Amino acid sequence: MLGALLRVAFMTAAAYRASFLVDVGVGAMTSVGVLLPLVFVYDHAAVIGGWTFHEALLVTGFFLLLQGLSGMLIEPNLSAVVEGVRTGALDYLVLKPVDAQLVASLQRIAPAKVWDLLAGGAVLAYGLHHLPAPSALGVLEAAGLLLAGLGAMYGLWILVICTSFWFVRVDNLRFLLSSVLDTGRWPVGIYQGWLRLVLTVVVPVAVVTSFPAMALLHRAQPVLVLQAAAVAVTLLGLSRLTWRLALRHYTSASS
Amino acid sequence: MVAYRAEMVVWILTATMPLVMLALWNAAAAQGPLAGFGQAEFARYFTATLVVRQLTGTWLVWELSNMVRTGSLSPQLLRPLHPLSLNLAETLAALPFRLVVLTPIVAALLVWRPDIAFLPAPSTLLLTALSTVLAFLLSWLVQGLFGMLAFWLDQSVGLFSVWFAIYALLGGYFLPLPLLPPMVRDAARWLPFQATLAAPVEILLGTNGDPLEALAVQLGWVLVAGALAAWMWRAGLRRYGAVGA
């Protein structure tokens, strides 16, 4: 099932080769755009919010990974579902004999965004190269936190999609999504008070970007893992319930 | 009706990046001012950036490239009103609503850091208003230019995001221009990026030593972009018709 969806996505990309190349070039430029502000800031201060340059690079690396996954999987599907609700094309999807949420989440994949994943990996490697090597436990913890964070973001995204069943025209939600993601590019230490709470619990961007970095730096307390897991489970459960409710509410375009 | 208003709020909230940048620079300046910017100066700078960006924001590149791609431009071409004039009118009509959304955000910033409030001189306000109008025209024209690329390319929006990445760094969106490395900063003064954002912000805050020069640079770029847009529009329409859309 997953394999079939992936194959279609890559066939589409191969059919529009020039477009694919431009996408990759644009992606390269924007990841440089993510890195340069950090370089400029650390030009003026050695430690910001308790994070040094190389430590902050880890956060940026995870941010690029998140951006890549979001651009590759989330944004195209978000647009597709919202469009489907508006035009009634969602009918075909709901009629298929597989779980509608699964297909809705993976019907379109943009392989060109793979650049962000590569850039994220490179930035992570460079940052780690200049820091003491993390222990195996730290890496494991980071992987767990990353997974929990991505799960939470996925749940949040399904919730966002569900709003389109009521509000219809929210096809610009993906821009909102990306501006929310933008808050994750800096270490969570720079945000204060309730803003930090929002970024770790309500819109758990920091769980994807800062928490794994903290685990690699051995700064993640066990309670952090529990918190991330709780946030992920809550958002995933809530999104599943809302999706079912939303589908029942769906009346297609004509009725 | 509710649906469209929700869309407006979403669009407006996407321009809150200055607040994210403010958080970063606020933390960076915790130990003391950087290049003359303390926490209060950063707060004032990014509040002004937020306001100017909201006042000068347009969505032309998305709308235009969408209209060209789907062909919904065709019926608009039949009307006696120029499609771009229509968009200009729509953008200006959205201004009051933008102000409504902006007010609570600025109020919250004032509560957070009351010392960012200041009273500019009337002459400063006049120059700022002039500069903001030029900044709006320039960013509208630039977005129009990238939107018109859709007559030839499929990737006009993608290319615009490259422009945006440069603009964020050299236009004063991510950081105040004085914090750039000196060589980059001197070049940035003459580029179109700062003319769409940093110019009015710096004139308002009084950090620009030569406001008239900044206005002249802005006016120059507006004229260049305007001429280019007029030419591209004509060339693009010929191409558009040729596809048979």
Side-chain angles (χ1 to χ4, degrees):
Chain A
M1 181 73 219
L2 202 68
L5 288 167
L6 268 172
R7 210 167 50 242
V8 171
F10 279 96
M11 272 156 63
T12 316
Y16 300 94
R17 242 161 294 162
S19 148
F20 178 79
L21 284 180
V22 174
D23 275 345
V24 169
V26 168
M29 284 295 290
T30 42
S31 19
V32 172
V34 171
L35 275 176
L36 274 181
L38 206 65
V39 175
F40 286 142
V41 177
Y42 278 96
D43 216 20
H44 294 279
V47 180
I48 297 174
W51 294 68
T52 66
F53 175 63
H54 290 113
E55 290 166 358
L57 269 188
L58 296 185
V59 178
T60 307
F62 283 117
F63 172 72
L64 284 171
L65 287 184
L66 173 66
Q67 208 179 36
L69 285 175
S70 153
M72 211 159 127
L73 299 171
I74 297 188
E75 276 179 20
N77 288 303
L78 184 71
S79 314
V81 175
V82 172
E83 197 57 29
V85 171
R86 203 166 60 86
T87 60
L90 199 71
D91 293 0
Y92 303 112
L93 205 148
V94 180
L95 285 173
K96 285 181 183 147
V98 283
D99 186 70
Q101 186 179 342
L102 180 72
V103 183
S105 317
L106 292 170
Q107 54 182 332
R108 280 191 208 165
I109 298 168
K113 302 287 178 197
V114 80
W115 166 266
D116 273 341
L117 296 183
L118 296 177
V123 170
L124 270 181
Y126 178 80
L128 279 176
H129 181 69
H130 288 267
L131 292 164
S135 68
L137 184 70
V139 174
L140 204 68
E141 212 179 3
L145 283 167
L146 188 64
L147 265 181
L150 290 176
M153 292 304 292
Y154 171 78
L156 189 71
W157 156 62
I158 290 286
L159 281 175
V160 167
I161 284 188
C162 289
T163 59
S164 74
F165 285 79
W166 284 275
F167 288 127
V168 189
R169 258 206 80 130
V170 278
D171 39 346
N172 304 310
L173 275 174
R174 63 201 187 91
F175 291 100
L176 182 67
L177 183 81
S178 68
S179 67
V180 167
L181 290 191
D182 274 337
T183 56
R185 44 168 93 197
W186 317 130
V188 69
I190 66 158
Y191 298 105
Q192 297 163 348
W194 60 269
L195 199 55
R196 188 182 303 189
L197 196 71
V198 168
L199 290 179
T200 49
V201 178
V202 187
V203 193
V205 191
V207 178
V208 188
T209 58
S210 283
F211 282 16
M214 284 159 81
L216 289 180
L217 297 166
H218 302 289
R219 287 192 201 152
Q221 274 90 37
V223 65
L224 214 59
V225 182
L226 283 180
Q227 185 192 334
V231 169
V233 169
T234 314
L235 275 174
L236 280 175
L238 197 64
S239 65
R240 184 69 189 166
L241 286 177
T242 315
W243 172 263
R244 290 205 171 155
L245 192 72
L247 266 196
R248 221 172 301 145
H249 185 84
Y250 175 67
T251 50
S252 189
S254 51
S255 40
Chain B
M1 223 20 228
V2 181
Y4 285 95
R5 240 167 266 168
E7 191 192 3
M8 274 295 273
V9 173
V10 166
W11 266 115
I12 288 168
L13 285 179
T14 55
T16 47
M17 193 65 193
L19 299 178
V20 177
M21 296 311 301
L22 171 58
L24 178 71
W25 287 102
N26 184 57
Q31 270 89 42
L34 317 171
F37 276 83
Q39 285 184 321
E41 282 78 24
F42 275 121
R44 199 177 287 154
Y45 180 86
F46 283 110
T47 309
T49 309
L50 180 74
V51 173
V52 169
R53 179 135 167 90
Q54 280 299 338
L55 293 181
T56 59
T58 83
W59 310 313
L60 184 57
V61 63
W62 291 279
E63 290 178 355
L64 194 55
S65 45
N66 212 9
M67 284 197 309
V68 172
R69 230 190 19 243
T70 61
S72 64
L73 181 66
S74 305
Q76 286 206 17
L77 284 173
L78 291 175
R79 292 190 199 157
L81 186 68
H82 197 287
L84 291 181
S85 316
L86 180 69
N87 179 278
L88 192 60
E90 279 175 356
T91 311
L92 292 178
L95 267 184
F97 191 76
R98 282 167 175 269
L99 285 176
V100 169
V101 178
L102 206 54
T103 311
I105 303 178
V106 173
L109 283 165
L110 277 172
V111 170
W112 175 58
R113 219 172 252 287
D115 49 348
I116 62 171
F118 73 108
L119 201 67
S123 61
T124 310
L125 275 182
L126 190 72
L127 288 177
T128 309
L130 206 58
S131 178
T132 309
V133 171
L134 287 173
F136 166 74
L137 279 177
L138 184 57
S139 62
W140 186 77
L141 283 170
V142 167
Q143 285 210 9
L145 284 174
F146 277 95
M148 285 179 220
L149 279 180
F151 286 123
W152 294 272
L153 301 168
D154 269 357
Q155 309 289 326
S156 47
V157 170
L159 289 176
F160 179 74
S161 68
V162 173
W163 165 279
F164 183 83
I166 305 174
Y167 149 88
L169 286 172
L170 301 184
Y173 193 42
F174 279 1
L175 69 168
L177 294 183
L179 288 148
L180 285 169
M183 261 179 56
V184 182
R185 184 182 60 213
D186 292 340
R189 289 261 157 256
W190 301 97
L191 294 177
F193 307 105
Q194 59 92 25
T196 58
L197 183 66
V201 169
E202 289 185 348
I203 291 176
L204 174 66
L205 300 179
T207 52
N208 190 321
D210 197 348
L212 292 180
E213 185 196 274
L215 282 173
V217 171
Q218 282 187 294
L219 186 63
W221 281 114
V222 167
L223 293 178
V224 170
L228 203 57
W231 172 77
M232 250 180 95
W233 180 255
R234 276 197 305 274
L237 276 194
R238 271 201 301 276
R239 163 100 188 175
Y240 181 66
V243 188

